[in-house]
Amino acid sequence: MSMKERLDFPPEFDVAFYRRRYSQLAALDDIALTRHYELHGRNEGRQASSAALRSGFVCLFDKVRPLLEIGPFDRPMAIGEGVSYFDVLDQSALIKRARNSGRTGDVPYIEFVSPNGDLSVVDRSFAAVCSAHCIEHQPDMIAHLQQVGRILENGGFYFLAAPDKRFSFDHFIPESSVAEVIEAHEDRRSTHTLANVIRHIALSTHNDAPRHWEGDHLKPEYNAKIPDQIAKAIRQYRAANGTYIDVHAWRFSPPSFREMLNILSDMQIIPFKVIRVYDTPRPRVEFMAILQKVLEAE
């Protein structure tokens, strides 16, 4: 696949797709359709691009090789020849974890393993990297993006799916700020803070995306249970004694993710520019994004 073909990604708002998908709007011209989406469609969760759903998103990199997938667990996004995998556990340990969790997916062979998620163990470069629900777990998101950039070829792409906090268990927790992301990088964080553990354990709600889309955000006795859950989080944090606890560090919506990454890119803190950030379609929990490694001088 040529670089020109790789760059031919569906637009974030695809007017032809929108017209086909919503036949009741077919009579509107392109300007009116765009205005409809801006005023109504986005908030209603109308799908604006074929790439907004994971099934359409994975088609964008199914022929880009070689490709590395980060954190596939038992449901990799990419399969086939030319795909390698990185995870915090090897294949046998992931199979055991999947069985213990009642999951029935197919764990691939994990070529690169690092218990703390350190991508420095990856010893070659790739045309593309992909991950699903990975970036929000990174204690130092900037370091993660820098490491991904290191293993990408010039002009290579990072395809990622991330949870939209508005429709997940993070609903009541504020979106992360660029200041917090930069602070984590300055602190060189490799494990999560107590605040992140408390947010994840004590301040999270249910994870039923369709219910969130309907405006139903509370789980039973949410507020009443917060003190006990905070105490539980503190106990877990202390028991970990500085070792890694797997929780969310960052929370985004598509607009806040785009704004944050654009700032970090403009400051040249990360080696990427934002190519696409697709809006979250109803009733899904995740949005898709494409980053491209900034071309380096040969």
Side-chain angles (χ1 to χ4, degrees):
M1 179 179 289
S2 70
M3 185 62 67
K4 181 178 180 180
E5 289 173 318
R6 291 181 189 177
L7 285 170
D8 190 22
F9 300 125
E12 293 162 348
F13 176 73
D14 186 336
V15 66
F17 174 90
Y18 200 64
R19 180 178 284 112
R20 290 193 304 271
R21 183 162 181 80
Y22 302 104
S23 57
Q24 69 274 26
L25 304 175
L28 299 179
D29 62 26
D30 290 1
I31 294 175
L33 276 176
T34 303
R35 181 171 175 80
H36 179 276
Y37 184 70
E38 293 295 334
L39 293 179
H40 308 290
R42 178 180 285 113
N43 289 335
E44 293 169 359
R46 291 181 184 249
Q47 187 181 346
S49 173
S50 61
L53 292 180
R54 190 183 293 202
S55 57
F57 186 65
V58 298
C59 295
L60 304 184
F61 52 88
D62 63 355
K63 295 181 181 179
V64 182
R65 300 291 186 269
L67 180 144
L68 177 72
E69 178 164 356
I70 299 171
F73 197 12
D74 66 331
R75 295 172 187 171
M77 289 199 295
I79 57 174
E81 187 176 352
V83 179
S84 299
Y85 300 99
F86 170 95
D87 216 311
V88 297
L89 298 173
D90 63 18
Q91 184 183 38
S92 60
L94 287 173
I95 290 173
K96 182 177 180 180
R97 175 180 283 189
R99 288 174 179 169
N100 291 340
S101 303
R103 295 170 65 106
T104 58
D106 187 11
V107 177
Y109 171 70
I110 309 299
E111 183 174 353
F112 303 104
V113 179
S114 171
N116 61 356
D118 184 359
L119 287 167
S120 65
V121 301
V122 179
D123 58 2
R124 61 180 185 271
S125 60
F126 294 85
V129 172
C130 70
S131 71
H133 297 236
C134 167
I135 195 167
E136 71 277 8
H137 289 265
Q138 303 299 319
D140 182 349
M141 189 176 79
I142 290 173
H144 171 75
L145 291 169
Q146 290 174 342
Q147 286 192 322
V148 173
R150 180 188 62 80
I151 61 178
L152 276 173
E153 299 172 357
N154 247 359
F157 295 97
Y158 187 12
F159 299 89
L160 57 95
D164 186 327
K165 59 86 57 181
R166 298 171 298 176
F167 311 112
S168 78
F169 54 69
D170 285 328
H171 177 83
F172 292 116
I173 305 172
E175 294 180 34
S176 302
S177 72
V178 70
E180 293 169 320
V181 169
I182 293 172
E183 179 181 53
H185 185 59
E186 287 295 308
D187 290 345
R188 299 182 182 275
R189 288 182 195 158
S190 58
T191 58
H192 291 292
T193 63
L194 173 59
N196 277 333
V197 177
I198 289 174
R199 291 184 188 106
H200 192 92
I201 292 175
L203 304 182
S204 60
T205 183
H206 70 79
N207 206 39
D208 188 334
R211 282 176 57 192
H212 285 298
W213 275 101
E214 293 297 329
D216 176 11
H217 307 302
L218 278 173
K219 63 182 179 181
E221 300 180 345
Y222 172 81
N223 291 308
K225 292 180 178 179
I226 286 178
D228 287 342
Q229 291 298 98
I230 290 177
K232 176 183 176 181
I234 294 171
R235 290 194 300 271
Q236 288 192 19
Y237 180 80
R238 289 173 176 168
N241 194 29
T243 59
Y244 183 81
I245 301 174
D246 190 27
V247 299
H248 283 188
W250 314 111
R251 293 152 186 90
F252 322 102
S253 64
S256 69
F257 184 80
R258 182 201 309 277
E259 179 182 24
M260 179 185 295
L261 270 289
N262 278 335
I263 292 170
L264 297 175
S265 177
D266 289 345
M267 295 179 67
Q268 299 182 356
I269 294 175
I270 59 172
F272 288 102
K273 59 181 177 180
V274 178
I275 301 298
R276 299 281 190 275
V277 179
Y278 297 100
D279 286 324
T280 310
R282 188 186 190 111
R284 305 304 176 99
V285 70
E286 63 185 5
F287 65 92
M288 312 296 163
I290 306 172
L291 312 179
Q292 185 180 24
K293 182 179 178 179
V294 176
L295 294 172
E296 299 172 349
E298 296 292 345

